[in-house]
């Protein structure tokens, strides 16, 4: 320290200057010096590390091979179970179709006997009522609306099929049926399934059910009605939406006029309704709802339910 002068101020080098002057961490230099001096890991230690690494890799490979083998061995069983379920479904569908044909034959026989027992005017009036309610087969000119799923584009990264915005949904068939009714249709069917006032169009998983019977694409909605039925349907909001989906996502959508369509009769509806219960005393007075002993017949979920717009958009 100089006489008459205060202590000199020292400056520590900044970080960038230190980084450029000493780019290598001191620990690396110490480790290299230790290896050169023979103070690094011994040969047996290095060998043990290699052995542990090899054993670990061998164990992982064995576990992966075992998992792959179990997966391959279990695949035939799953495929067999799936094939068995598909066969059972097809068998039940065949039995259902056979019973439906038998029911149609019996219904036709009953109608013939009924017409023979009734007068001509009464029989004609009854046939008109059956046609209006969907319980009788009808013929006439009308419109056929055909829709089908668009192509499913796989994901560009994973290759897995993604969401298909061009797929036909249950609410699309609802919109088509409602638009046809609004345009003046007198009878409507979807893939041969006649619609009535109690019909339902719903989705179950990836399938569409019409009156609890599955229908598959392409879907054809046939309708019998007046001459302006096709024009009115083409101008409807449902047709405009489907045209937009077809243009943007590849859905197949086609409307054409058809001559001499034949729509089958719907199956007999199972209508159930609630009735007032009789009091335990036998007086015949109805028991208030919620009282002990009150019981009502179950109401069918589909009874009295008419087709309604989906209430949602794509």
């Amino acid at each position: 320290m100089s006489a008459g002068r205060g202590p000199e101020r020292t400056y520590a080098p900044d970080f960038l200057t230190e980084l450029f002057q000493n780019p290598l961490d001191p620990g690396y230099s110490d480790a290299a010096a230790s290896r050169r001096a023979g103070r690094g890991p011994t040969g047996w230690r290095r060998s043990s590390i290699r052995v542990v690494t090899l054993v670990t890799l061998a164990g992982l490979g064995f576990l992966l091979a075992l998992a792959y083998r179990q997966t391959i061995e279990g695949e035939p069983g799953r495929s067999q179970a799936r094939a068995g379920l598909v066969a059972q479904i097809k068998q039940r569908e065949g039995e259902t179709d056979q019973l439906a044909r038998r029911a149609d034959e019996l219904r036709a026989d009953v109608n013939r006997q009924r017409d023979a027992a009734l007068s001509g005017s009464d029989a004609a009036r009854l046939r008109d009522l059956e046609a209006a309610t969907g319980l009788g087969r009808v013929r006439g000119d009308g419109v056929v609306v055909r829709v089908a799923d668009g192509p499913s584009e796989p994901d560009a990264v994973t290759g897995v099929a993604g969401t298909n915005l061009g797929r036909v949904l249950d609410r699309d068939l609802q919109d088509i049926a409602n638009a046809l009714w609004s345009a003046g249709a007198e009878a409507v069917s979807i893939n041969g399934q006649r619609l009535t006032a109690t019909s339902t169009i719903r989705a179950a998983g990836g399938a569409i059910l019409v009156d609890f019977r599955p229908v598959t694409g392409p879907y054809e909605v046939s309708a019998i009605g007046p001459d302006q039925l096709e024009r009115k349907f083409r101008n409807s909001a449902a047709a405009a939406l489907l045209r937009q989906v077809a243009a943007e996502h590849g859905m197949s959508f086609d409307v054409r006029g058809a001559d001499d369509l034949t729509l089958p009769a719907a199956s007999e509806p199972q209508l159930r309704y609630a009735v007032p219960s009789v009091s335990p005393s036998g007086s015949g007075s109805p028991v208030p709802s919620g009282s002990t002993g009150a019981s009502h017949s179950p109401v069918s979920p589909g009874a009295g339910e008419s087709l309604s717009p989906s209430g949602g958009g794509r």
Side-chain angles (χ1 to χ4, degrees), residues 9-76:
R9 182 178 298 177
T10 59
Y11 296 92
D14 61 87
F15 176 74
L16 290 178
T17 303
E18 181 67 20
L19 180 63
F20 282 109
Q21 290 179 353
N22 301 306
L24 186 63
D25 188 90
Y28 291 103
S29 301
D30 296 341
S34 299
R35 283 195 296 271
R36 286 195 298 269
R39 296 195 300 272
T42 58
W44 67 268
R45 188 175 179 182
R46 289 194 297 270
S47 300
S48 62
I49 293 175
R50 293 193 184 98
V51 170
V52 171
T53 303
L54 291 176
V55 170
T56 303
L57 293 177
L60 290 175
F62 174 76
L63 292 177
L64 291 175
L66 183 62
Y68 176 77
R69 181 178 179 181
Q70 290 179 350
T71 302
I72 295 301
E73 288 179 351
E75 183 61 29

Side-chain angles (χ1 to χ4, degrees), residues 116-196:
L118 295 176
S119 62
S121 59
D122 291 338
R125 181 173 178 273
L126 190 56
R127 284 194 295 269
D128 292 339
L129 292 175
E130 287 179 341
T133 56
L135 301 181
R137 189 179 63 173
V138 294
R139 293 179 59 184
D141 300 338
V143 175
V144 176
V145 182
R146 186 181 185 276
V147 288
D149 295 340
S152 179
E153 298 181 359
D155 188 86
V157 178
T158 62
V160 180
T163 303
N164 184 7
L165 298 178
R167 185 169 62 91
V168 179
L169 306 178
D170 57 333
R171 62 174 174 261
D172 295 329
L173 298 182
Q174 290 179 8
D175 290 343
I176 293 174
N178 287 334
L180 289 171
W181 290 121
S182 299
E186 300 172 2
V188 180
S189 69
I190 300 177
N191 283 21
Q193 296 292 321
R194 182 76 173 274
L195 301 184
T196 66

